[in-house]
Amino acid sequence: MTRLRNALGGEVLGLIGFLILVVILFGLTAPRFLTAANFGSIAFQLPELGLLTLAMLIPIISGGLNLAIVFTANIAGLTLAWVLNTHGGVDAGFEWFVVGSLGALIVGALAGMVMGLVIAYTGAHPILVSLAMMIFLRGLGEFLTKGGDISGFPDYLRPLGHGLILGIPVPLILFAVAAFVWHILLTRTRHGFAATMIGSNIRAAAYSGIHTKRTLTLIYTLSGLMCAVAGILMVARFNSVRVGHGEALLLVTVLACFLGGVDPFGGFGRVVPVVIALIVLQALSSGLNLLGANQHLSTAVWGLFLIGVMVLRWVAAQIPKRRKG
Amino acid sequence: MHSFLRNYPTEAKLLAVLVVICAALSSASPSFLTLVNFTDLLNNNAVNVIWAVGLVVVLIAGGIDISFAVAASVVQYLCVFVFGWIGGGNWAIGFVVAGVLGISLGLINAFLIHQFRIISIVVTIATFNAFFGLLMFFSSGRFLYNLPGWWSDRLILWEYETSGGTWAEIRLPVVVMVVAMFATWALIRHTTTGRQLYAFGDNPEGARRAGINIALMQAIAFGWMGMMAGIGGLMQSHITREVVPNALYGRELEVLAAVVLGGARLGGGRGSVLGCFLGVALIAVTQNGLNLMGVSPYAFKMVVGLTILIAISMSNLDFSAMTAPKRRDL
Amino acid sequence: MAEPAIRLTSVSKRFGGVQALDSVDFAVDAGEVHCLAGENGCGKSTIIKIVTGVYQPDPGARIELFGEVVEKVTPQEARARGIAVIWQDLALFPEMTVAENIAFETMLGNRPRRVSYPAMRKRAVAALARLDVDLDLDARLNTLPIAQRQVVAIARALVSDARLIFMDEPTASLTQSETDALLDVVRKLSARGVAVVFVSHRLAEVLDISSRVTVFRDGRLVGVYPTEGMTQGRLTELMTGKHFETTVAARDVTGPPVLEVQGLTRQGEYADVSFTLHAGEVLGLTGLIGAGRSELGHTLFGMSRADAGQVLLDGKPVRFPSNRAAVDAGIAYVSEDRLSLGLIQPQSIADNTVMAVLKRITSGGLISPAKKAALVDHWIRELAVKIGEPTDAVSTLSGGNQQRVVLAKWLATEPRVLILDSPTVGVDVGARAGIFRIVRQLAETGLAILLISDEATEVLANADRVLHMAGGRILGEYDPRETTLQGLEAAIYA
């Protein structure tokens, strides 16, 4: 048991406990909760929030925040939509999807890179820089679309948003791959290592020869890249692009990171607990939905749930002190 | 002047930028530097300033508040019911009710932060979701128009007919803004409690050892923010004559940008009322100027975002470091 | 017998599983200058925090302040009775002005009152006048150098009409002249009946002005001794419970030159510095704080660039654009500020160890956990670091073991030149010998070591040659075998 605990970390077991609790609770109260259809809908809803949360994760670990994730995703999606629409719309060839997606990824990475450069080389606070970028990108998007929707995409996009491979939703596969890449990035690469160290103490990291400016730039570039992946997925899932779509998810991604035990001050955070936290949030939301509540009640419950978990963590931290004292 | 430059470097730079922008705009558009435009700017941005001076107190004390704009919506909504329940009310009751409701919501944040040692960004993101979700759930997103007359009737406190026949007027929110600015300035500059807030944000451990009451600091900072949120919400409904549950969603980040632009530091210990005003003014004037110059409204935000991005990059660059030999470049 | 200012009897304090204080007694007389000595973690700070009400003692303690038994000491209570502390980290407010910091006392209290800036300035002026120093009252504290901040902290204690002042490691960041000025102030305070307690593990400079010294070890009282006839050596023995021989390790080094510095100059920091460091040599570089020693170290490590002169490594001129280039060229630098620059405290011992050699543990683009574990294991054994698990946070280690982790991190880069900047700051006396044993062994293997330290005893005992630096210039070279401590100190403090 202790070995398992060490391997997974306390927060993973705690979150799995919550997940089980949520499943049992809704399993008993909402008759359709424990059905394949419900799990399917969770599996289709999770990836969009999940990808954005991954985009938020690395900046938080590095001691910052990226408030521009949703609009970066929108702008990236817009890039893809523009490429498709200028090359035949519904009749655009698959090669244009590839070109458009590459364009989206480049645009996303570029938006992130600009933020990273400003943060790294001027020392401005990430919250402020990403906030300015968010306002800029929203403005840019609204300027380009005049506030409207862009739609009319080729049919072959459908499977990306709604298809199944071996019974597993394609978006979920995409998310799983992204999460795995992020996990490897954080635990096994020099960049991930540097990002973590920077999150704890950037000056000491620099003294040890870590290239802090390059690392910071790369952190936000990667975050932007992940936003672009989310943006492409959103195009496929909704068959339209609207600037502002998913805006409500911004603070939910931060919430999911904190719920997953990421240190708000930076330096500590892992992909696995964050993914479990995301599943808990989606399960809560879909369970409430089945009980007849709307998305807004879920939002409220998410907020209350985060408070509850933080309070429980505080209580857990108190217990060993008492016992020893 | 010298000590102003030294002790308020960000505010001084911001003021200079604002003057340059105003000068440029007044030569580009004849309608910029007019009394009517000036009073319009004040009327339209008073609520943002009210929130900004509330938020700056939280930032000075080393915290951050994401929840205040949705808290203001909650206050607006509850106010409608309270006023209906007591059969109307008036401005005095309105300020008290909105203020008290706002303070209560702020104290929820302060309690969670202090009692459970959770940092403010986590708490206020959680309460942001909780407040907003509950509000939308219970209101079902419905707009409310049945505001009491005193609340929705426009209150013009000063007016002046210009030679062109247009009216320059100062409405109630501007006066409330001035009072809020003055009260906040008095609190943070001239009371011992205010100076303790600075000290607490600057060096929490030092403040604790000096015997400052930490719980009280959190309560005052978030209580003040809550009060300003509530009063700002009251003013917002006065201007729009309706209560829309999700109308203020997203405003928190705009106000935050303005306050930090105005020299408040994320992390505590620095910030001023003047800075709040200038921060809001910079964004407002930029938008206003673009409007007068006939730029598409869709492009406003883009330019505003770019302005903030450039402004923070500039204000964080140390120009002396560029001329002097480089010291420690890592 | 003078009247006691404070008298504490059978004070105990437990933190979780740690007995920080075990039934100790501590008394200070009015107007006395008293030393409280002990290694890190001996309970010195705990007892200050109990006297000042930051912590409450475990039941059974009796606290008598100025003749009155006080049941529960709160920070307010302690201050009201005239007890002030100047903390090692000063506990000042960097964003506030000098005047506000000094007169901060006037702003305390839960009931809001109007702040009177003129009254505050008046008090600040008065306090500074008593110290005979002149500071700009409107300057923000963070624009002042550390020594002046210390003055502010002392002035703050004076404002509150303190009758007993604790000074926690007050001289750690002061130059000699600043220390002299501080001791002067202490004499004045003592003459007016204010008791002063120096709390430190480095007491040479304050021994002669104090009358008694109380020694703690491992949370217990060792004893109270008159300072008459007390030496630093005897004090060290009392603090550690061990006996140390001071020997001179110097020998003739015949290795080839590794690092040659020729006429190196950087405006405002150091000027015309020339020396040669040989393979296998430990070259001491001493001088007061502000002499330009650390600044020189920064340039050699590529953290700053010289305006003139050149550096040769193995005979070839080098110029590092960043410290990464210096690391690649084989230069390692152990920072004097271990807490905030040397290590990343909350992160694990393993991660701190491998931080500078990530390339070496990477295969196929990914960090190899096996290679990482092997490397960490190797260095922990090599340097005999006492740890629990390699995954524990480095902050859980003692100062001496933390410094070993710093050494491990740099030795893993296989450097040619190792710059040690004040490597024993915050390291217990007992653990220092262990650090220097490692330094000596490294020199034996041919590593060229530049040992920067402001402690003359340390460089004399451990270096092969000693350079004396003052005002940014090298003033002299000494052979430890032919130099007495008195001789070197006379040169340094001249």
Side-chain angles (χ1 to χ4, degrees):
Chain A
M1 186 64 194
T2 36
R3 268 187 62 201
L4 187 70
R5 211 186 170 79
N6 285 339
L8 291 174
E11 72 264 50
V12 173
L13 288 182
L15 284 166
I16 289 176
F18 271 118
L19 185 58
I20 293 170
L21 203 71
V22 168
V23 169
I24 292 175
L25 207 68
F26 285 120
L28 293 175
T29 51
R32 281 183 298 133
F33 187 78
L34 290 175
T35 59
N38 186 44
F39 287 129
S41 88
I42 291 180
F44 274 110
Q45 283 161 8
L46 178 74
E48 186 187 335
L49 175 62
L51 291 170
L52 288 171
T53 304
L54 292 178
M56 183 63 91
L57 177 64
I58 299 189
I60 295 188
I61 288 177
S62 75
L65 210 60
N66 181 1
L67 295 175
I69 50 168
V70 174
F71 291 102
T72 307
N74 288 163
I75 293 289
L78 211 57
T79 310
L80 171 61
W82 176 74
V83 170
L84 289 174
N85 277 4
T86 50
H87 294 89
V90 283
D91 303 319
F94 187 74
E95 71 276 16
W96 291 112
F97 170 71
V98 175
V99 171
S101 296
L102 277 176
L105 293 173
I106 290 170
V107 165
L110 213 60
M113 193 174 76
V114 170
M115 277 186 284
L117 286 171
V118 172
I119 292 164
Y121 287 89
T122 74
H125 200 291
I127 290 187
L128 194 58
V129 175
S130 61
L131 192 53
M133 181 55 87
M134 167 188 139
I135 295 171
F136 170 72
L137 291 176
R138 178 169 61 190
L140 178 69
E142 285 173 356
F143 177 64
L144 294 174
T145 62
K146 304 284 178 254
D149 285 26
I150 293 187
S151 54
F153 303 129
D155 283 339
Y156 56 74
L157 274 183
R158 248 194 86 74
L160 179 59
H162 303 275
L164 296 168
I165 294 179
L166 300 173
I168 305 167
V170 177
L172 191 66
I173 295 173
L174 184 67
F175 172 63
V177 170
F180 180 72
V181 169
W182 243 226
H183 174 73
I184 293 297
L185 181 81
L186 278 171
T187 55
R188 296 287 299 279
T189 67
R190 300 213 300 263
H191 172 68
F193 184 92
T196 310
M197 293 300 138
I198 282 177
S200 271
N201 183 339
I202 187 164
R203 286 182 66 213
Y207 259 73
S208 297
I210 285 175
H211 201 321
T212 53
K213 287 176 178 167
R214 193 178 63 196
T215 306
L216 274 175
T217 309
L218 194 54
I219 285 166
Y220 287 87
T221 309
L222 285 171
S223 174
L225 200 64
M226 189 56 89
C227 292
V229 175
I232 294 168
L233 179 68
M234 279 151 85
V235 170
R237 271 191 56 70
F238 304 103
N239 202 31
S240 78
V241 179
R242 183 175 54 79
V243 173
H245 184 99
E247 198 181 351
L249 296 181
L250 170 62
L251 293 174
V252 177
T253 63
V254 185
L255 189 148
C257 287
F258 293 155
L259 201 57
V262 179
D263 188 331
F265 296 104
F268 296 91
R270 300 190 307 135
V271 172
V272 176
V274 169
V275 169
I276 300 173
L278 283 166
I279 298 172
V280 174
L281 290 178
Q282 282 298 347
L284 268 175
S285 164
S286 91
L288 287 168
N289 196 18
L290 291 176
L291 289 177
N294 60 15
Q295 178 55 36
H296 295 303
L297 189 65
S298 301
T299 306
V301 170
W302 288 350
L304 296 173
F305 186 65
L306 177 61
I307 295 173
V309 168
M310 296 306 282
V311 169
L312 281 178
R313 281 188 191 145
W314 176 79
V315 171
Q318 298 299 307
I319 293 166
K321 272 190 209 162
R322 291 258 167 76
R323 202 180 293 154
K324 278 183 199 162
Chain B
M1 189 60 205
H2 172 71
S3 72
F4 173 74
L5 279 179
R6 191 178 59 175
N7 289 332
Y8 299 94
T10 319
E11 285 85 343
K13 268 188 233 169
L14 194 56
L15 189 61
V17 171
L18 195 61
V19 167
V20 170
I21 291 181
C22 284
L25 287 176
S26 49
S27 65
S29 162
S31 45
F32 176 74
L33 204 65
T34 60
L35 191 61
V36 175
N37 190 43
F38 179 70
T39 50
D40 278 354
L41 270 172
L42 277 178
N43 288 326
N44 294 337
N45 290 284
V47 174
N48 277 349
V49 176
I50 294 172
W51 284 332
V53 296
L55 183 60
V56 80
V57 176
V58 170
L59 289 177
I60 285 168
I64 192 170
D65 190 349
I66 303 292
S67 70
F68 69 86
V70 294
S73 290
V74 172
V75 170
Q76 288 177 341
Y77 212 78
L78 292 176
C79 273
V80 174
F81 288 100
V82 172
F83 299 152
W85 180 55
I86 60 172
N90 56 41
W91 275 115
I93 294 173
F95 279 113
V96 170
V97 171
V100 168
L101 288 171
I103 290 172
S104 315
L105 295 176
L107 290 182
I108 293 176
N109 284 330
F111 171 76
L112 292 169
I113 290 165
H114 181 74
Q115 178 63 41
F116 302 111
R117 304 288 186 273
I118 316 172
I119 72 160
S120 51
I121 190 164
V122 179
V123 167
T124 57
I125 281 182
T127 51
F128 165 91
N129 281 285
F131 291 164
F132 185 68
L134 290 172
L135 177 66
M136 292 301 284
F137 179 69
F138 286 110
S139 69
S140 311
R142 271 195 309 274
F143 292 21
L144 300 179
Y145 301 103
N146 55 335
L147 309 189
W150 59 265
W151 192 3
S152 55
D153 292 347
R154 196 143 286 172
L155 215 63
I156 296 168
L157 297 166
W158 176 86
E159 56 188 344
Y160 174 82
E161 189 175 3
T162 59
S163 50
T166 47
W167 287 84
E169 51 189 37
I170 293 285
R171 300 191 201 122
L172 178 68
V174 178
V175 177
V176 174
M177 170 191 91
V178 172
V179 173
M181 284 172 66
F182 178 80
T184 307
W185 172 77
L187 171 78
I188 62 178
R189 282 298 301 171
H190 289 287
T191 69
T192 51
T193 309
R195 302 317 287 171
Q196 289 179 22
L197 284 168
Y198 273 96
F200 171 57
D202 200 1
N203 181 351
E205 176 59 22
R208 201 173 64 87
R209 284 193 223 151
I212 287 177
N213 184 339
I214 306 297
L216 189 67
M217 291 298 108
Q218 299 283 18
I220 289 171
F222 284 89
W224 193 266
M225 168 82 258
M227 181 174 78
M228 291 301 170
I231 289 172
L234 192 73
M235 287 301 111
Q236 177 70 22
S237 296
H238 169 64
I239 295 167
T240 58
R241 303 172 179 199
E242 62 189 7
V243 170
V244 180
N246 59 357
L248 304 178
Y249 185 97
R251 288 284 281 276
E252 63 281 338
L253 295 181
E254 281 170 40
V255 175
L256 178 66
V259 173
V260 183
L261 206 55
R265 193 177 62 171
L266 294 159
R270 199 189 289 170
S272 68
V273 170
L274 176 67
C276 291
F277 185 81
L278 292 175
V280 174
L282 181 71
I283 295 175
V285 166
T286 309
Q287 288 206 25
N288 175 254
L290 293 170
N291 190 15
L292 293 177
M293 280 156 53
V295 176
S296 149
Y298 288 117
F300 283 7
K301 283 180 184 158
M302 186 168 74
V303 179
V304 168
L306 212 55
T307 308
I308 302 176
L309 200 60
I310 292 168
I312 52 170
S313 306
M314 301 299 263
S315 67
N316 274 282
L317 282 179
D318 190 358
F319 290 106
S320 59
M322 290 185 173
T323 49
K326 273 196 169 178
R327 299 207 73 79
R328 274 171 208 168
D329 26 5
L330 303 172
Chain C
M1 187 67 195
E3 198 173 311
I6 59 165
R7 184 186 296 280
L8 280 69
T9 346
S10 36
V11 176
S12 298
K13 180 77 187 172
R14 258 186 107 80
F15 294 103
V18 181
Q19 186 81 41
L21 284 176
D22 188 2
S23 189
V24 299
D25 298 345
F26 180 58
V28 180
D29 290 342
E32 181 191 5
V33 181
H34 195 107
C35 286
L36 177 55
E39 293 200 294
N40 288 328
C42 70
K44 301 180 301 235
S45 316
T46 312
I47 198 133
I48 312 182
K49 288 188 175 163
I50 285 174
V51 177
T52 53
V54 179
Y55 295 154
Q56 294 304 319
D58 293 340
R62 184 170 180 277
I63 299 177
E64 199 180 304
L65 305 179
F66 304 102
E68 261 180 75
V69 177
V70 181
E71 284 304 325
K72 184 175 190 295
V73 187
T74 63
Q76 292 81 356
E77 176 84 33
R79 201 171 29 249
R81 289 175 185 268
I83 295 173
V85 192
I86 297 163
W87 302 98
Q88 185 180 8
D89 57 10
L90 303 183
L92 294 170
F93 304 106
E95 290 281 343
M96 301 178 96
T97 65
V98 168
E100 281 190 285
N101 269 289
I102 294 177
F104 191 72
E105 168 99 343
T106 60
M107 291 192 257
L108 292 172
N110 287 346
R111 281 251 303 276
R113 279 168 291 123
R114 209 181 117 80
V115 176
S116 163
Y117 287 93
M120 206 167 68
R121 288 178 70 94
K122 231 165 92 185
R123 297 187 74 144
V125 168
L128 287 173
R130 281 161 76 179
L131 288 171
D132 234 359
V133 283
D134 195 28
L135 288 178
D136 178 1
L137 290 178
D138 297 317
R140 269 185 211 273
L141 191 82
N142 55 14
T143 61
L144 301 185
I146 299 289
Q148 290 188 8
R149 295 187 202 183
Q150 183 118 33
V151 172
V152 171
I154 296 169
R156 185 206 270 186
L158 294 182
V159 158
S160 58
D161 290 320
R163 291 193 279 168
L164 172 68
I165 303 178
F166 284 99
M167 295 195 184
D168 192 5
E169 303 278 3
T171 57
S173 56
L174 297 188
T175 63
Q176 189 61 33
S177 61
E178 285 163 348
T179 305
D180 288 344
L182 173 69
L183 297 186
D184 209 40
V185 171
V186 170
R187 278 190 204 98
K188 283 185 203 158
L189 292 173
S190 168
R192 287 215 316 269
V194 177
V196 176
V197 181
F198 284 109
V199 185
S200 181
H201 61 266
R202 231 178 75 190
L203 294 161
E205 63 271 51
V206 295
L207 266 181
D208 58 324
I209 74 156
S210 34
S211 50
R212 290 188 300 166
V213 53
T214 298
V215 180
F216 280 7
R217 191 196 308 146
D218 299 332
R220 289 200 181 81
L221 177 68
V222 176
V224 184
Y225 309 89
T227 51
E228 191 79 40
M230 176 66 78
T231 61
Q232 183 75 47
R234 170 85 182 116
L235 197 58
T236 304
E237 279 177 35
L238 289 170
M239 275 157 51
T240 57
K242 294 179 196 127
H243 186 69
F244 294 97
E245 291 278 349
T246 39
T247 51
V248 171
R251 71 221 141 94
D252 289 316
V253 178
T254 52
V258 177
L259 185 75
E260 290 164 87
V261 176
Q262 297 169 347
L264 210 62
T265 300
R266 183 171 157 83
Q267 201 66 44
E269 294 189 348
Y270 52 83
D272 200 21
V273 171
S274 301
F275 63 85
T276 303
L277 178 59
H278 299 87
E281 184 180 35
V282 180
L283 177 61
L285 181 65
T286 188
L288 301 173
I289 285 176
R293 303 163 314 173
S294 298
E295 290 77 2
L296 178 65
H298 277 133
T299 301
L300 295 177
F301 188 52
M303 307 280 283
S304 66
R305 263 136 295 289
D307 302 327
Q310 65 172 347
V311 178
L312 305 180
L313 190 64
D314 293 325
K316 286 186 228 54
V318 286
R319 202 176 155 78
F320 305 124
S322 73
N323 65 332
R324 290 178 301 280
V327 173
D328 289 341
I331 295 183
Y333 174 75
V334 173
S335 166
E336 63 194 314
D337 188 352
R338 187 179 57 243
L339 283 184
S340 61
L341 298 178
L343 291 170
I344 299 184
Q345 294 283 337
Q347 297 289 347
S348 72
I349 295 160
D351 286 351
N352 271 286
T353 307
V354 300
M355 194 152 25
V357 287
L358 292 176
K359 273 181 206 151
R360 208 161 298 180
I361 56 167
T362 308
S363 54
L366 294 182
I367 292 173
S368 150
K371 279 189 184 176
K372 179 175 164 183
L375 185 94
V376 172
D377 195 50
H378 169 77
W379 285 109
I380 284 171
R381 262 186 296 116
E382 190 79 357
L383 298 182
V385 194
K386 286 198 200 72
I387 64 162
E389 292 288 327
T391 49
D392 290 348
V394 87
S395 58
T396 59
L397 300 179
S398 69
N401 278 311
Q402 285 191 10
Q403 198 64 288
R404 285 171 195 240
V405 175
V406 180
L407 284 173
K409 172 176 76 181
W410 288 120
L411 293 177
T413 67
E414 294 172 11
R416 316 271 336 271
V417 177
L418 178 63
I419 303 168
L420 297 169
D421 195 350
S422 310
T424 57
V425 168
V427 173
D428 289 338
V429 181
R432 292 179 182 191
I435 299 280
F436 282 117
R437 252 196 313 279
I438 295 173
V439 169
R440 188 41 68 182
Q441 282 162 9
L442 291 171
E444 301 289 349
T445 65
L447 190 63
I449 296 170
L450 182 64
L451 170 63
I452 302 175
S453 173
D454 59 344
E455 293 195 38
T457 44
E458 209 165 85
V459 285
L460 269 189
N462 298 294
D464 297 315
R465 275 189 301 146
V466 175
L467 298 175
H468 169 221
M469 197 170 184
R473 291 171 184 275
I474 303 238
L475 296 188
E477 184 181 324
Y478 300 84
D479 183 336
R481 289 165 293 188
E482 294 157 12
T483 313
T484 61
L485 182 61
Q486 287 74 13
L488 184 59
E489 282 188 334
I492 292 174
Y493 296 138

